[in-house]
Structures are given as structure tokens and as C-alpha cells.
Amino acid sequence: MNTTKIGWIGLGNMGIPMAEQLIKADYKVTVYNRSKDKEASLIEMGASVAGMPKNLVNETDVLVLMVSDDAAINQIFNGADGLFSADISDKVIINMSTVSPAISKEMAALCQEKGGQYLDAPVSGSVKQAETGQLVIMVGGNETAFERVKPILEKMGKMAVRLGDIGAGNGAKLAINSLLALYTQGLAETVLFANQQGIKTEDLLNLLNNGAIANVFTKIKGDAIIADNYKPAFALKHIVKDLNLAKAIGLDSPLAKTALNTFEAASSKYGEEDLIAVIKEVKG
């Protein structure tokens, strides 16, 4: 068994399969999640459970966070039973959530004051890539800390790359997710335009998936459109959050403005569905 003990906070659609990869790699993993029912499958695999975030600090060497937004991160660190209520000396805290560079810089500075290390390490990929350990992991932070935890990251992803100082990973992820939003809306509009020309969705996607712009995303989301299946691998409400985070740090291009307007309009009706549900908003 690997001797590094890992604490994990956040067991959503991505957090569970990512933590599973570490258990399969023989790491001792202790988990915490507000919704206790989500801990069950990991307990069956051998994970331990902590009653609150601060308990993880005492029981582990490296802590991984995979939660929804800046507010959740602030609570995990600064809440009454949060990480900062324990001694984080010599701990490495890896925040793999998609959050703002600002919250990472704030938490990193506080971690350093308290003798710990912080890395922002968001991921590119969805549930399928998490389940197979094929995520792409982009990291900001101290190089020594990154090298210390790189073997852990490589159990969850096919590549883990340090891009620069704190916030660099977050910035890269927001850039990627901005493109994801543009592409998703573009795919939806293309399908609907083709339908207007009498072309079946299946036939269009067959052409796309065998052409020069074929990609995994088109295949997966195309299949979802055909099946009328909008079960969330990546909920539409989260792309709205990410576009707003990107806007806050300077994204102001014409396409980005259009995408934000479209996804915001869709969010009230389809926010809990997969982001490709934007096709229903575009269709009207």
C-alpha cells in the first residue's frame, strides 16, 4: 500500500470516481462529504470516513478538494470545523475544483502562513474520464509541492502539468470551459440548422464524427441529443458559473458574451440537466 494518506472532500459526480482511482491504487483514503449517503460506495471499497473537515487534517498527509464553487471552498477552509481550525503544517492541499483564481490565491496565502502548501489543480474531462483515470490536470503552485503530489495526480489523470504559480490552473480551466461553452452552443445550433434543412440528427452526427472536426465531445453529446438524454455529466448551471468566473477575470469577447447570455437563459429551466440541454433553449 502507498504510505501517503489522502483526505478527500467532495463526492459529487466527479469526486467519487476520482477518489475511487486512488483507492484502486492502494492509497489509504479518508473521505468527508456533507451528504453522507454518497460515502457508501467508497466505504465498501475500503475508505475511512471523517466526521468533519478538520479531522482529515490530523489523519492524512495530502488533502484533495473537489467541490462546486468559491463559497464551498471558503466554508471548507474557514468554517467552524474547517481545515484552518486544525494544524495544517506540512500538509499539501490540492484544490481540484473549478473556482476563481482569486479564491486560490487567498487560500494559498493563508495556507503558507500556517505552514501548509496549496495547489490549484482543476481537471479537464467528464465522468467517463474520471472513471478511467484519463483526466487532464492543470496545476498552479509551488513546484516542490507539485512534484511531491504528482504521483497522486497521475493516478487520476493521463497527464498532470504545472503551468505556473497559484491561480494558473484555475485560469487555464476557465479558458478551456469557455471554449467548451462556445462549442456546446455551436453544436446545438448546428444540429438544429441541419434539421431545418431536412437532415436527420443521426446523419449529421455520422458526418461530423467521421470528418476533420471529429472529437469525443461531439460523439458523447451527439449521442445524448439522439437519445433525448440530458442526465448531467456536467450540469448546465456549472457552465454558467464558469463563464461568469471567466468574465470576472477579463473574458469579454463577442462569442463569450453570446454564450453566457444563452446559458443563463437556459439555466432557470435546464440548470440541473447536462449542458447540452442548451439545445432546448436554442430551439425555443
Side-chain angles (χ1 to χ4, degrees):
M1 176 176 283
N2 287 297
T3 58
T4 301
K5 294 176 287 186
I6 299 173
W8 191 284
I9 299 177
L11 298 174
N13 287 344
M14 294 290 287
I16 290 175
M18 291 170 70
E20 285 176 350
Q21 296 303 314
L22 300 180
I23 296 171
K24 291 175 184 177
D26 288 329
Y27 282 101
K28 178 176 173 53
V29 177
T30 304
V31 301
Y32 167 82
N33 197 70
R34 289 182 300 176
S35 301
K36 296 302 176 183
D37 58 303
K38 293 186 176 180
E39 298 171 341
S41 63
L42 296 174
I43 293 171
E44 289 181 5
M45 294 181 67
S48 301
V49 175
M52 54 193 67
K54 70 178 183 181
N55 296 142
L56 288 175
V57 178
N58 300 325
E59 298 169 10
T60 62
D61 307 304
V62 174
L63 294 96
V64 184
L65 317 182
M66 190 61 171
V67 296
S68 57
D69 54 28
D70 286 24
I73 292 300
N74 187 60
Q75 181 63 29
I76 287 166
F77 278 97
N78 291 315
D81 297 310
L83 301 180
F84 286 155
S85 64
D87 181 5
I88 64 164
S89 299
D90 201 39
K91 309 294 182 180
V92 179
I93 301 173
I94 312 170
N95 187 359
M96 305 190 78
S97 318
T98 301
V99 293
S100 70
I103 195 73
S104 282
K105 291 174 182 177
E106 179 183 350
M107 294 304 129
L110 291 171
C111 283
Q112 186 173 8
E113 287 178 10
K114 297 173 183 296
Q117 298 267 21
Y118 176 106
L119 297 171
D120 54 289
V123 306
S124 180
S126 193
V127 174
K128 181 64 175 177
Q129 288 74 40
E131 291 173 341
T132 55
Q134 293 296 299
L135 296 167
V136 172
I137 303 170
M138 54 210 85
V139 184
N142 177 272
E143 187 170 3
T144 301
F146 169 66
E147 292 297 334
R148 177 177 166 184
V149 302
K150 189 176 180 182
I152 295 170
L153 299 176
E154 289 176 337
K155 298 301 182 184
M156 296 180 282
K158 63 182 178 181
M159 63 183 295
V161 180
R162 178 181 174 270
L163 300 173
D165 294 332
I166 295 295
N170 296 140
K173 178 59 186 292
L174 293 178
I176 289 171
N177 275 18
S178 297
L179 177 60
L180 176 66
L182 303 184
Y183 189 84
T184 303
Q185 182 167 341
L187 177 61
E189 292 182 3
T190 299
V191 168
L192 294 174
F193 177 66
N195 292 163
Q196 291 170 4
Q197 313 314 306
I199 300 167
K200 294 178 181 179
T201 301
E202 293 89 338
D203 291 338
L204 172 69
L205 289 165
N206 186 40
L207 295 171
L208 290 174
N209 289 324
N210 286 281
I213 59 171
N215 59 66
V216 173
F217 184 83
T218 298
K219 177 66 170 64
I220 293 172
K221 299 310 178 186
D223 288 348
I225 293 170
I226 292 169
D228 198 31
N229 174 17
Y230 301 104
K231 180 181 178 181
F234 181 51
L236 189 148
K237 66 181 180 181
H238 293 318
I239 202 70
V240 175
K241 176 206 72 174
D242 296 349
L243 285 169
N244 275 305
L245 288 175
K247 179 182 177 181
I249 60 171
L251 183 64
D252 192 37
S253 65
L255 287 177
K257 290 178 180 177
T258 299
L260 179 55
N261 289 338
T262 303
F263 281 98
E264 282 188 328
S267 187
S268 62
K269 292 172 284 187
Y270 312 118
E272 299 296 333
E273 298 183 28
D274 192 81
L275 80 167
I276 195 58
V278 75
I279 193 170
K280 295 188 280 188
E281 176 67 26
V282 176
K283 185 176 182 179

